Amino acid sequence: MSDVLPTATSAPVSRDWTAHAVRRIEADYNRSADTHLIPVDLPALADIALYLKDESSHPTGSLKHRLARSLFLYALCNGWIGEGMTIIEASSGSTAVSEAYFARMLKLPFIAVVPRSTAPEKIQAIEFYGGRCHFVDRPGDAYAASEQLARDLGGHYMDQFTYAERATDWRGNNNIAESIFAQMSREPCPTPRWIVCGAGTGGTSATIGRFARYNLHDTQVCVADPEASVFHRHWADRTVQTTSEAPSRIEGIGRARVEPSFIPGVIDRMIAVPDVASIAAARVLSRRLGRRVGGSTGTNLWACALLATEMAQASERGSIVSILCDHGDRYASSYFNDDWLSAQGFDVGPYERRMDAFFADGRLPA
């Protein structure tokens, strides 16, 4: 983990400019509606309800829109960003898309430091919002490259992996947890038995877990994590800090090192999901919804199916809420491309059949 402090400007940041920037971001927020909570039909499970919080409907198309807004406000109010300053971020793509949106709003140059394997659709979205990309060969190289760019350009490295859990107001302020519980209030089982999310920075799981505890909800938090990720290993054994496995192909979640924003103490359970199962689940859900969803949503769905199977076997009644993280159109050239799947050695057929069986019978076959 880096101990480099946020880049400071050579002179105090103009309070007038900061006030202008905060107003621009808050005005944009006021123009935006909350994201929809989608019920997912489970005809074989009369006592279990599944919902997806559709974060793909944000202006930049993903859950990371919330994070980018919070990171910008946090940096602005800390005096870390000044007029004309270049913003740099290490990202697998979606956070960079959202930060490019806010940087353009404030007329700030933006550079995304991304792995070369990042989906081309995400690269195009970053560039659409006026950002440019600096490519690294290995995901782990993005941290140092971002710090160096910030030093060289006199810019600010946003560092989502350090600041995600503290930039978001987890007590309220319409964060994702507050929104979920408010939208669930009139459902048959208004307090979810489980909320399932992934972990890229760990900010979302930290926000949901803290909010549930602060408001005395019985809801438990489950993090669905790629098998290659270190997070589930660290949760089980806090001495484990890194993994040398090949990186997961599920963009946006799972890391090779434990990020500063990952708070294991607020997580009740972690489920490791193979990449091929995540992709298969995303494809099955896309067919059922009539629109594509991304791979991390598939990771979440696989964990939801396991939890629902366990609840049904225990004759439990309750609700499960998870997150539809981003548009699947961003992965048209990968997860939804049979040639790409074949090149990666992914045989999604058996896993798709297992997920189809879950929807048909209410049990995820072993």
Side-chain angles (χ1 to χ4, degrees):
M1 297 178 188
S2 170
D3 58 0
V4 177
L5 295 174
T7 307
T9 55
S10 58
V13 175
S14 164
R15 288 288 297 273
D16 288 343
W17 184 85
T18 297
H20 163 76
V22 170
R23 287 192 195 99
R24 289 293 306 275
I25 292 174
E26 291 296 86
D28 178 77
Y29 172 74
N30 286 339
R31 292 191 295 269
S32 303
D34 199 359
T35 58
H36 195 61
L37 192 65
I38 302 172
V40 179
D41 192 25
L42 299 177
L45 295 173
D47 292 330
I48 299 173
L50 174 62
Y51 304 83
L52 295 176
K53 181 72 166 159
D54 184 9
E55 295 293 284
S56 73
S57 60
H58 283 295
T60 54
S62 82
L63 168 67
K64 299 300 186 179
H65 192 85
R66 292 181 189 268
L67 174 59
R69 174 179 175 269
S70 294
L71 287 168
F72 265 91
L73 290 173
Y74 188 71
L76 285 164
C77 293
N78 281 332
W80 295 344
I81 298 177
E83 185 173 6
M85 182 180 288
T86 300
I87 305 300
I88 298 100
E89 183 62 285
S91 173
S92 62
S94 287
T95 301
V97 172
S98 299
E99 288 187 7
Y101 170 90
F102 287 105
R104 185 178 73 170
M105 181 186 299
L106 303 181
K107 296 181 172 57
L108 302 176
F110 179 76
I111 301 173
V113 181
V114 296
R116 293 188 189 278
S117 59
T118 301
E121 294 86 352
K122 289 183 179 178
I123 302 303
Q124 293 165 12
I126 293 166
E127 293 173 346
F128 172 80
Y129 288 118
R132 61 187 180 94
C133 294
H134 176 95
F135 295 99
V136 293
D137 293 321
R138 297 178 301 174
D141 294 339
Y143 312 104
S146 297
E147 292 168 358
Q148 187 63 52
L149 279 170
R151 284 193 291 267
D152 292 346
L153 299 172
H156 174 64
Y157 171 29
M158 197 69 86
D159 195 0
Q160 60 169 323
F161 297 106
T162 295
Y163 296 107
E165 58 88 10
R166 65 196 76 171
T168 300
D169 184 354
W170 52 266
R171 296 173 186 84
N173 192 25
N174 196 36
N175 64 43
I176 191 170
E178 184 177 53
S179 178
I180 287 171
F181 282 99
Q183 290 176 318
M184 285 292 295
S185 64
R186 295 182 182 274
E187 298 300 316
C189 297
T191 301
R193 172 72 176 82
W194 290 98
I195 295 181
V196 179
C197 64
T201 62
T204 300
S205 57
T207 297
I208 294 171
R210 288 163 167 169
F211 184 90
R213 285 162 171 75
Y214 182 67
N215 289 279
L216 309 180
H217 294 305
D218 290 333
T219 300
Q220 291 188 289
V221 176
C222 174
V223 169
D225 201 32
E227 278 189 336
S229 172
V230 73
F231 289 139
H232 63 89
R233 295 172 168 83
H234 177 72
W235 182 79
D237 179 355
R238 305 299 162 82
T239 66
V240 178
Q241 296 291 326
T242 61
T243 179
S244 58
E245 288 199 23
S248 168
R249 300 313 302 268
I250 307 304
E251 293 186 20
I253 57 172
R255 304 296 297 177
R257 72 172 196 180
V258 179
E259 304 295 354
S261 278
F262 181 71
I263 312 297
V266 304
I267 298 166
D268 299 288
R269 182 170 175 180
M270 295 198 71
I271 294 176
V273 181
D275 285 358
V276 65
S278 296
I279 296 168
R283 288 163 64 99
V284 170
L285 181 61
S286 296
R287 292 194 288 269
R288 298 186 70 86
L289 294 181
R291 62 186 178 94
R292 289 174 174 173
V293 303
S296 56
T297 302
T299 310
N300 290 342
L301 179 63
W302 196 269
C304 288
L306 285 171
L307 293 171
T309 297
E310 292 175 2
M311 289 174 65
Q313 291 172 341
S315 299
E316 285 188 45
R317 181 175 185 268
S319 57
I320 301 172
V321 178
S322 192
I323 299 172
L324 196 165
C325 306
D326 62 357
H327 285 294
D329 289 346
R330 291 181 172 177
Y331 310 97
S333 61
S334 54
Y335 307 148
F336 296 93
N337 183 308
D338 290 343
D339 291 338
W340 183 90
L341 293 174
S342 178
Q344 304 303 314
F346 289 140
D347 181 7
V348 297
Y351 292 88
E352 288 190 1
R353 289 190 286 274
R354 289 174 67 185
M355 185 54 63
D356 282 328
F358 165 72
F359 280 109
D361 304 325
R363 304 287 191 278
L364 186 67

